[in-house]
Amino acid sequence: MEDTTRKSKGEDIISAANSARWDLGTDFHDSIIESIYENASHIARKTVKQVGEKEAYSFDLKVDKLVTSKWLGFPMMFLVLAVVFWLTVAGANYPSGLLASLLIDTMHPILKNLAASINMPWWLDGVLIDGAYLSMAWVIAVMLPPMAIFFPIFTLLEDLGYLPRVAFNMDNLFRKAGAHGKQALTMSMGFGCNAAGVVAARVIDSPRERLIAIITNNFSLCNGRWPTQILIATIFIGAVVPASLAGVVSAGAVVGMAVLGIFFSLVVSWGLSKSVLKGEASSFSLELPPYRPPRVLQTLYTSLIDRTVIVLWRAVVFAIPAGVVIWLIANIKIGDLSLAEHFIDWSNPFALVFGLNGVILLAYIIAIPANEIVIPTILMLTVLSTNMTDVGAGSGVMFELDSIADTANVLHAGGWTLLTGINLMMFSLLHNPCSTTILTIYKETKSLKWTLVSTFLPIVLGLIVTFFTTQLWYLFTT
Amino acid sequence: MLPLLQIQPGILLLIGLAVTTLLFWFFWPMNGGLALITKLIRNNKRALLEDALKYIFDCEYNKTSCNINSLAGHLNIAMDKATQLLNRLTTLELVTLNNQSVALTDDGRSYALRIVRIHRIWERYLADQTSVAPADWHHEADRIEHVVSKEETERLAAQMGNPVFDPHGDPIPTAEGQLPKHRGVRLNTLQEGEMGRITHLEDEPRSIYEQLVVLDLYPGMQVYVTDVTDKKITFVAHGEECILTPLFAGYITVEKLSKEETQAPKQELLSSLKIGENAEVLGISPNCRGSQRRRLMDLGIVPGSKVSAVIKSASGDPVGYRILGTTIGIRKQHADQVFINRKN
């Protein structure tokens, strides 16, 4: 009895409180919080004394005015980015060659001999050494040096305080696309590695803008795709202009692809923020921290461990099974043809509509673990499917040729034209992220839906773009 | 040659265009193919029933009459369909029919209140936490209210601190189904020289609500009526003069204020501060809500703190403001919602 009266009293109080809240109006929560903040800052102003802060800031302000000035801001930004890329590409060349000669030219024959000396069956030797080992070796040789250069430089710039200023300058563009200014940072990070770019999206505190940055990061041409772009541009685009201009034109084509990627990243951001993502949580602010001398050693250590090693490890883990698959499909035969040849023949009609070919499709499917092995895989598959006997290292063994002219010969023999080259460049820009990035997206978003969107959206875009390029090409050339 | 390639490039191009358009249409959110299909599959009957209950409840709350004609008109359905719907509602014992007028039973009322609560909580969420445009809050919530569960909504409400008003100023019913009595007067009943505070903007029809949003009107704003004629009502809101027809003004509900309660009308905005100028923060506009508002306060934008504009982005938009010893980039759209007092 007593219990029920107590309960009804409690309910009375709750309903009285509820109606009191209606009388208070909409903004009483805010006014309470506001007055707390106000009191706190009042107390702080009374009691905290600042010594010497002004001097330090006036220097920062001078630098800030320069870095964000209307005329110097953007040129400076492009210059810094260009230097970072140049350092990465030029600096990685030598160690990459060294690693390749060590892991591929030296270690591979040694392992083959070792396998032969213990009488390993040919198929086991093929799967393990030609497949798994070789693909792992490729990934390490091509991926490790650029990452080990790019990430520390990038982290140093971040530490120095320059990157927040880049975001500050670029914000206007990203605001118009419905995204966050800091997406400029994750985008530049993506030029190094998309998986690292996706992780870097953590700096964006608003969930909606962060998701946009994650989904569109793949449109930044990553380190693994630069070599493909450069090689194909040299072979096919450089060849249509006089030799004296070839270098400039093919470099221009690669930069054009990167710019096209930025364009797609902005357009897709805009599309997403106007449609599916407009209902997601959103807010904006951008802190511009004071400039600090970077802690070089610490930065080197953390960027090597956190970014390079982790990303490389994930790539290697995925590359090993991919190598096994590559060897197996090139060597398992049904009838007279290997599995790879069956797939190439079967998918060729479909691929040709998009100006690609079966070899490219197959290479992109089995090279999902790492974009770095696309070119070796394409070469191997082309040799396999055209039955060339004088080049290559045997079926299922990935290889790269020393001279660009030899590579060009193999590709031309495989029926490649200028159109195929252009389409491959486009498809290399617009296709699914590598498996490392897909896994990272899943880990960062914890959502299967957004992982699938980030995976398939670029493929669909890539197919649309290559289709229209091809059909318009045919329309105007025939 | 392969059969697929024997098709003329031009025709293939057209086919490609058609397929791409179809693909875009299919995946377009809101009114694309996929959305339409899910809309059809989703319990359409339930949506109609709930919308009807909501409408009848609205009529009761605003003390207007409700009959089958107005119901059919509001839901945009044919008369015979409206009759079927009402019959179904009566068999479910949610409404009673008395001559021509329709009334809710107790069950019907609590069902309606539940839907109204879900609708308004989601409107609050959309306004506070997302970048959905003001004119879309109502429609988006209209769509969501039929698909979310009560539990999901309660979780969301708890997360937002159990709000009591939706962004248009409508009270949100409690989980027990309580709602305060309708209060306030319509703006077109105010006389010259009278003051009021906007408590509610009617969100339907959309075209009228969009107009009110364009004028930057929002609940919590103070208005001062300066001129009333048959054709138009002139009033000052936040120092800006607005002119509305009596029809439009009828969609705004205000609470009358006495003269003493009023604040200084016109305030300067943070965005008007030029590089190198100093000012003191007076407050953040009630129109800036939720996480963005908290973010600004976290950064130290509270009444009394000193702020100065220091740098401008190379592209012109975010301006760097010096607040509490830190430089913070704030976009113009947000700087527009901070009131300041320039120091001499």
Side-chain angles (χ1 to χ4, degrees), chain A residues 21-23 30 37-38 45 53 57 168-169 171-172 175 179 275 278-279 281-286 288 471, chain B residues 13 29 129-132 162 164 172 178 183 292-293 295 298 302-304 313-315 317-318 322 327 329 331:
Chain A
R21 287 186 69 195
W22 278 312
D23 291 333
D30 286 337
Y37 275 94
E38 201 181 339
R45 243 175 290 149
E53 200 262 343
Y57 176 63
F168 183 66
N169 281 339
D171 184 60
N172 208 2
R175 180 180 54 83
S275 56
K278 72 175 176 186
S282 170
S283 72
F284 176 85
S285 76
L286 207 123
L288 301 171
Q471 297 308 322
Chain B
L13 199 63
Q129 317 268 339
T130 72
S131 57
V132 172
N162 291 308
V164 286
I172 297 174
Q178 284 170 311
R183 273 187 307 204
Q292 183 62 41
R293 186 186 186 91
R295 191 84 197 124
D298 284 342
V302 289
S313 153
S315 56
D317 188 353
R322 192 85 183 153
T327 314
R331 288 177 176 174

Side-chain angles (χ1 to χ4, degrees), chain B residues 60-97:
Chain B
E60 263 186 20
Y61 191 68
N62 294 323
K63 302 198 175 62
T64 51
S65 73
C66 170
N67 56 41
I68 188 158
N69 286 316
S70 66
L71 182 72
H74 179 83
L75 295 177
N76 200 8
I77 52 175
M79 276 300 281
D80 55 329
K81 215 160 173 211
T83 319
Q84 271 177 26
L85 184 64
L86 274 182
N87 284 336
R88 211 167 136 238
L89 285 169
T90 357
T91 29
L92 288 171
E93 293 185 351
L94 294 170
V95 302
T96 51
L97 282 168

Side-chain angles (χ1 to χ4, degrees), chain B residues 20-250:
Chain B
T20 319
T21 328
L22 211 69
L23 215 66
F24 266 93
W25 172 77
F26 189 72
F27 283 105
W28 202 252
M30 305 309 196
N31 40 24
L34 196 64
L36 284 181
I37 291 169
T38 42
K39 224 179 261 178
L40 276 179
I41 295 171
R42 200 190 302 141
N43 215 336
N44 209 343
K45 270 188 182 157
R46 177 183 152 192
L48 203 60
L49 186 142
E50 290 177 350
D51 282 339
L53 282 176
K54 240 176 27 171
Y55 173 70
I56 302 167
F57 175 80
D58 257 2
C59 294
E60 263 186 20
Y61 191 68
N62 294 323
K63 302 198 175 62
T64 51
S65 73
C66 170
N67 56 41
I68 188 158
N69 286 316
S70 66
L71 182 72
H74 179 83
L75 295 177
N76 200 8
I77 52 175
M79 276 300 281
D80 55 329
K81 215 160 173 211
T83 319
Q84 271 177 26
L85 184 64
L86 274 182
N87 284 336
R88 211 167 136 238
L89 285 169
T90 357
T91 29
L92 288 171
E93 293 185 351
L94 294 170
V95 302
T96 51
L97 282 168
N98 205 339
N99 290 332
Q100 280 295 305
S101 76
V102 187
L104 289 170
T105 63
D106 283 346
D107 279 351
R109 192 167 300 110
S110 82
Y111 192 161
L113 276 163
R114 206 158 65 227
I115 301 301
V116 170
R117 176 172 167 80
I118 292 174
H119 178 91
R120 293 185 181 166
I121 283 174
W122 278 90
E123 276 188 328
R124 184 86 244 168
Y125 168 75
L126 293 172
D128 285 4
Q129 317 268 339
T130 72
S131 57
V132 172
D136 292 329
W137 294 336
H138 178 73
H139 291 85
E140 191 67 2
D142 256 349
R143 189 182 61 79
I144 295 170
E145 69 191 9
H146 307 300
V147 276
V148 291
S149 68
K150 194 168 180 279
E151 290 71 31
E152 247 176 295
T153 310
E154 290 309 325
R155 263 204 305 281
L156 188 71
Q159 197 190 321
M160 290 191 297
N162 291 308
V164 286
F165 286 97
D166 81 354
H168 306 106
D170 281 317
I172 297 174
T174 59
E176 292 77 36
Q178 284 170 311
L179 199 61
K181 289 220 160 49
H182 185 71
R183 273 187 307 204
V185 290
R186 296 188 184 269
L187 182 59
N188 54 6
T189 61
L190 250 59
Q191 297 305 308
E192 213 173 296
E194 279 189 306
M195 310 273 315
R197 182 191 290 123
I198 298 179
T199 55
H200 175 233
L201 298 174
E202 183 55 50
D203 48 20
E204 262 189 323
R206 185 192 170 115
S207 56
I208 290 182
Y209 181 66
E210 271 174 353
Q211 290 289 320
L212 302 180
V213 170
V214 167
L215 287 171
D216 260 343
L217 300 174
Y218 51 84
M221 204 176 201
Q222 289 187 0
V223 293
Y224 173 64
V225 180
T226 51
D227 189 33
V228 181
T229 66
D230 285 350
K231 294 244 170 67
K232 60 182 199 234
I233 291 167
T234 313
F235 59 95
V236 178
H238 255 307
E240 308 277 348
E241 185 168 87
C242 299
I243 299 170
L244 286 176
T245 61
L247 173 74
F248 273 61

Side-chain angles (χ1 to χ4, degrees), chain A residues 103-161:
Chain A
L103 292 175
I104 296 163
D105 300 341
T106 316
M107 277 303 282
H108 184 237
I110 291 178
L111 285 172
K112 289 291 268 190
N113 287 337
L114 196 72
S117 71
I118 58 166
N119 288 325
M120 197 185 258
W122 70 275
W123 54 269
L124 190 60
D125 159 88
V127 164
L128 290 182
I129 299 169
D130 291 337
Y133 171 76
L134 208 53
S135 105
M136 182 196 77
W138 271 114
V139 168
I140 293 178
V142 186
M143 227 172 151
L144 179 60
M147 289 210 310
I149 297 172
F150 185 83
F151 290 140
I153 299 180
F154 211 78
T155 317
L156 282 178
L157 282 176
E158 200 178 344
D159 226 29
L160 187 70

Side-chain angles (χ1 to χ4, degrees), chain A residues 330-352:
Chain A
N331 282 286
I332 295 179
K333 289 193 168 152
I334 298 178
D336 283 339
L337 297 171
S338 64
L339 281 180
E341 285 164 290
H342 277 297
F343 180 87
I344 291 167
D345 289 345
W346 172 78
S347 64
N348 245 333
F350 169 76
L352 282 171

